[in-house]
Amino acid sequence: MYPLIFYIASIMLIMACLFFLWKDRDNLFSLKSIFNIFYLFFFGLAPMIQFYNGVNSFFKGRPILPYQYATVSLIFLAIVWAYNLIYEYYKNKNILFLQSGIKIFSQFKALSPNVLLAIAVAIFLIKIILHEYSIIDIFSRNNAESTIANPVLLLALKNTKTLLIIFPITLFTYVLAGKLHINKYWWAFLAIISFINALPIGIPRALIAVVYLPIIVLLFPKIFKVKYFTLIFIFALSYFFPFFNQFRGGIHSFKDIDFSFETSHLNSGHYDNFYNFALTFFDMPVTFGKQLLGVVLFFVPRFLWPEKPYGSGRFLAESAGFDWKNVSENFFAEGYINFGIFGIIVWVILYALTTMVIDRKGKQSFIKNSAFKIFYLQMIFLSFYIMRGDLMSTFSMLFNFLLVNIFIIKTLNFYERDNKH
């Protein structure tokens, strides 16, 4: 009985996601489309394949039972419908408290654009120094920490690593978009240091899509027309998502790289979101905001706050006895682990309203060709990882992108206003 309920709910969830993607077929380039693509894969297709193949646990955790499969599928069928209906209902309405939050982009003042180039160069030099003047070491993930003995320097790197990666390449994206005009020598130099600083095999998978896909969209806009966007994103998710995971442990030679296209990764821990949510919902205690406090205060060093909560993915992994601690934790599982069922409801409402407002602002930025469109492109691809979680790591990443974009946008805007006078 429960397997049948699970399969029916999963098929209905897939159909719901496809329906809302089809409904917005002329406007698919949005946060809303990423939401539906994500749940089509991670809570529709992948769990069905896993269940059919008898894969009911990951990381040596306990297996989830058929009634738990059915329950989680029904929960997310409700979430998908609730999100899309709330988004559609408020699409043409004013959400004052969210719109006022976006006004931060028009209330910040910065310095001249020369400062931006100087910061990009300084960041590149800092990373070279941290890697003991070896550019090759930058190409491999996790090498920076292993070469630093000074604990203060190590702490500084861990807290600024994302910022150091994304600033030069985000600045280069603004150059490509025509928002910062520099001579050809600076253009070439910025392109080189941006690429070396954020080489795809040397940075986390979560960052690759967020920093490189906006560049590809700007360079090849015809390929990323609305009607092709979903197909391209699904292909990238199916191939590149598992492909770049090879570099997490380090590749020692070209022969070690596997370029094959397989579907077996759907049975692997890459698609652990459904499983992790089930364990969270049935086994984990509600923390009444403790995990959320750790998210909001992510920047506080642990030596100043020894009781600082770990990310919910690690919290789950340790509680469930996983043999791997760096696991994902779904966005709505974060709502549950903080405030129970009420938390899921609040998370759905807030995410629907927030993405609707950002989509509206983003569409306007493309029409007006404003600088905000760069941040919007990054948000589209970052939202995939926000959904996958955990919230502490993705919120930290979001904060870094927000900080970099506000600084660049306001620097450019301030420079433009100064030139006009």
Side-chain angles (χ1 to χ4, degrees):
M1 182 65 176
Y2 288 118
L4 179 60
I5 295 174
F6 163 69
Y7 279 121
I8 292 174
S10 297
I11 292 171
M12 290 177 66
L13 188 152
I14 291 171
M15 295 300 292
C17 292
L18 290 173
F19 169 75
F20 287 111
L21 286 169
W22 173 83
K23 185 177 179 296
D24 295 331
R25 60 190 178 279
D26 296 325
N27 194 26
L28 279 174
F29 203 72
S30 66
L31 295 167
K32 183 186 176 189
S33 68
I34 295 296
F35 176 93
N36 286 305
I37 292 172
F38 178 89
Y39 285 101
L40 188 156
F41 261 83
F42 280 79
F43 284 81
L45 184 62
M48 287 181 66
I49 293 175
Q50 292 164 7
F51 187 81
Y52 178 79
N53 290 324
V55 180
N56 56 7
S57 71
F58 296 107
F59 318 118
K60 296 184 179 179
R62 76 159 180 87
I64 54 176
L65 304 174
Y67 85 90
Q68 294 170 334
Y69 270 100
T71 302
V72 173
S73 290
L74 289 171
I75 289 172
F76 276 90
L77 176 60
I79 286 174
V80 166
W81 273 99
Y83 168 85
N84 282 282
L85 291 177
I86 293 169
Y87 185 106
E88 289 297 321
Y89 180 78
Y90 285 98
K91 186 164 62 175
N92 298 315
K93 299 180 184 295
N94 291 325
I95 312 296
L96 295 179
F97 75 97
L98 289 174
Q99 290 174 327
S100 62
I102 291 181
K103 288 182 180 178
I104 189 173
F105 283 90
S106 60
Q107 295 172 345
F108 186 88
K109 292 185 178 181
L111 306 173
S112 91
N114 292 329
V115 174
L116 299 175
L117 293 172
I119 292 173
V121 174
I123 285 174
F124 180 69
L125 294 176
I126 288 171
K127 289 200 69 174
I128 293 294
I129 293 170
L130 290 178
H131 288 82
E132 297 182 335
Y133 303 96
S134 173
I135 294 180
I136 300 299
D137 282 349
I138 298 178
F139 295 173
S140 179
R141 288 177 62 175
N142 301 323
N143 258 349
E145 288 88 344
S146 63
T147 59
I148 298 176
N150 188 313
V152 176
L153 201 58
L154 181 61
L155 179 66
L157 178 65
K158 285 184 175 180
N159 284 284
T160 60
K161 184 165 58 176
T162 300
L163 203 62
L164 295 177
I165 291 172
I166 68 176
F167 186 91
I169 197 164
T170 298
L171 180 61
F172 181 65
T173 308
Y174 279 89
V175 172
L176 287 178
K179 298 304 174 185
L180 177 60
H181 300 288
I182 56 179
N183 64 48
K184 60 183 180 181
Y185 302 108
W186 267 114
W187 193 100
F189 184 65
L190 183 60
I192 292 170
I193 66 174
S194 297
F195 182 70
I196 294 175
N197 191 57
L199 198 70
I201 63 173
I203 63 177
R205 289 180 300 173
L207 288 178
I208 296 172
V210 183
V211 298
Y212 280 103
L213 286 178
I215 291 176
I216 296 173
V217 171
L218 292 172
L219 290 177
F220 308 103
K222 291 184 179 180
I223 296 178
F224 271 84
K225 284 183 177 179
V226 166
K227 62 182 179 180
Y228 302 132
F229 171 66
T230 302
L231 293 176
I232 292 173
F233 189 83
I234 288 175
F235 172 77
L237 173 62
S238 302
Y239 181 75
F240 292 109
F241 183 66
F243 173 78
F244 282 110
N245 188 63
Q246 300 175 81
F247 301 96
R248 172 178 285 176
I251 294 292
H252 303 291
S253 70
F254 187 79
K255 294 179 180 180
D256 294 334
I257 303 175
D258 182 9
F259 292 94
S260 63
F261 184 90
E262 298 179 358
T263 59
S264 59
H265 63 275
L266 290 171
N267 287 320
S268 70
H270 299 300
Y271 290 84
D272 61 348
N273 233 220
F274 186 99
Y275 173 73
N276 292 347
F277 181 90
L279 293 190
T280 300
F281 187 79
F282 288 103
D283 297 350
M284 297 292 288
V286 174
T287 64
F288 300 101
K290 181 180 177 181
Q291 289 300 114
L292 185 60
L293 185 63
V295 170
V296 175
L297 300 177
F298 73 91
F299 53 86
V300 178
R302 197 167 295 280
F303 74 85
L304 294 177
W305 184 13
E307 295 80 23
K308 178 182 176 181
Y310 286 100
S312 296
R314 177 166 175 172
F315 181 34
L316 168 66
E318 292 180 347
S319 300
F322 289 176
D323 63 351
W324 177 252
K325 306 304 181 186
N326 186 22
V327 303
S328 69
E329 181 69 303
N330 181 263
F331 180 76
F332 298 110
E334 298 277 2
Y336 180 82
I337 207 169
N338 278 287
F339 304 110
I341 297 293
F342 176 74
I344 296 178
I345 295 171
V346 172
W347 258 236
V348 172
I349 295 171
L350 288 178
Y351 193 73
L353 296 179
T354 302
T355 53
M356 182 273 296
V357 171
I358 295 175
D359 275 341
R360 182 192 297 170
K361 175 74 173 177
K363 292 179 181 68
Q364 293 172 355
S365 72
F366 272 88
I367 295 172
K368 299 177 181 179
N369 194 31
S370 70
F372 183 80
K373 74 178 182 181
I374 306 302
F375 177 63
Y376 179 57
L377 285 171
Q378 291 179 336
M379 273 299 301
I380 286 177
F381 300 112
L382 179 58
S383 67
F384 173 87
Y385 291 97
I386 292 174
M387 285 292 96
R388 187 169 182 261
D390 64 17
L391 189 58
M392 185 176 291
S393 59
T394 56
F395 183 80
S396 171
M397 194 184 302
L398 172 61
F399 180 84
N400 280 285
F401 275 102
L402 187 64
L403 186 65
V404 166
N405 279 277
I406 289 177
F407 184 72
I408 292 175
I409 287 174
K410 300 322 297 178
T411 296
L412 298 178
N413 287 349
F414 186 70
Y415 174 74
E416 289 176 2
R417 288 197 300 269
D418 190 54
N419 277 353
K420 288 178 181 178
H421 290 90

